[in-house]
Amino acid sequence: MDRTEKRKPRDRVVGRSQLTPYQTMKRILILWLASSFASFGAVQYSFTNLAGLPGYSNSGTNDGTGRAARFSYPIGVAVGSAGNVFVADQNNSTIRKVTAAGVVTTLAGNPMYGGSEDGTNGEARFSNPAGVAVDHAGNVFVADTYNHTIRKVTPVGTNWVVTAILIVGQMGRMGRMADDPVWPRTP
């Protein structure tokens, strides 16, 4: 008896897919999404480099326009109502503003000196700021990571004034508002 005679014939249907149910559903979903976007005229996006240069070897602290500006680990980004982009430049411990034209300026903090100081412009100190948010009044709120603090950066004329608004303190401790009459409290 030949080996081929011992095998049971497989049920084969011409045109039957060899895909698993998951793969089949995935393909149907992809086709449905593609046809939906095509029928609704999906927006095509393109991305351009607004400021700075990519790559670790190009990091730095320079303010400037476009590719002349330098960042060092820009991690937090928020867009204000005027179209300016605010950046938490983490390794420089600064907060930067990028205009729609690509002009980068340092609003607050000093890349040479980290710390936890309220103040105006470069007198203020941050320690690895990681996130930013902007309200409608143009105030920038900063998650000052290593200081366990939320800071408010307020535009006052041509200056930016930094104040702590929430001090979380050490990990696991309850936070308190900076205007609390018993703040700062010694442990």
Side-chain angles (χ1 to χ4, degrees), residues 17 19-36:
S17 174
L19 300 175
T20 66
Y22 170 78
Q23 291 169 326
T24 303
M25 290 306 296
K26 184 177 172 184
R27 285 189 180 187
I28 291 170
L29 180 62
I30 289 170
L31 291 172
W32 177 78
L33 287 172
S35 66
S36 296

Side-chain angles (χ1 to χ4, degrees), residues 59-91:
S59 67
T61 62
N62 300 0
D63 285 346
T65 302
R67 297 168 81 74
R70 298 290 184 268
F71 295 89
S72 183
Y73 204 63
I75 189 168
V77 177
V79 180
S81 58
N84 295 317
V85 178
F86 296 90
V87 180
D89 195 357
Q90 190 172 48
N91 286 351

Side-chain angles (χ1 to χ4, degrees), residues 10-184:
R10 293 186 183 179
D11 293 333
R12 293 207 182 239
V13 177
V14 176
R16 182 176 173 199
S17 174
Q18 297 295 320
L19 300 175
T20 66
Y22 170 78
Q23 291 169 326
T24 303
M25 290 306 296
K26 184 177 172 184
R27 285 189 180 187
I28 291 170
L29 180 62
I30 289 170
L31 291 172
W32 177 78
L33 287 172
S35 66
S36 296
F37 282 120
S39 64
F40 291 117
V43 177
Q44 297 294 318
Y45 293 96
S46 63
F47 297 91
T48 58
N49 189 24
L50 181 61
L53 286 173
Y56 181 77
S57 63
N58 294 317
S59 67
T61 62
N62 300 0
D63 285 346
T65 302
R67 297 168 81 74
R70 298 290 184 268
F71 295 89
S72 183
Y73 204 63
I75 189 168
V77 177
V79 180
S81 58
N84 295 317
V85 178
F86 296 90
V87 180
D89 195 357
Q90 190 172 48
N91 286 351
N92 285 328
S93 290
T94 57
I95 305 304
R96 317 281 292 278
K97 179 176 89 170
V98 184
T99 66
V103 178
V104 177
T105 54
T106 301
L107 301 182
N110 186 321
M112 303 305 288
Y113 307 101
S116 180
E117 300 279 333
D118 288 346
T120 303
N121 302 333
E123 296 171 2
R125 302 288 182 264
F126 297 92
S127 185
N128 288 69
V132 291
V134 184
D135 67 9
H136 292 291
N139 298 306
V140 180
F141 297 87
V142 180
D144 194 0
T145 309
Y146 286 1
N147 288 323
H148 308 286
T149 305
I150 303 299
R151 316 280 290 282
K152 181 179 178 182
V153 184
T154 306
V156 178
T158 59
N159 293 315
W160 293 82
V161 178
V162 178
T163 54
I165 60 168
L166 178 66
I167 311 300
V168 178
Q170 297 174 354
M171 293 290 232
R173 294 212 177 166
M174 183 185 259
R176 50 192 180 271
M177 297 302 289
D179 59 358
D180 184 338
V182 294
W183 178 86

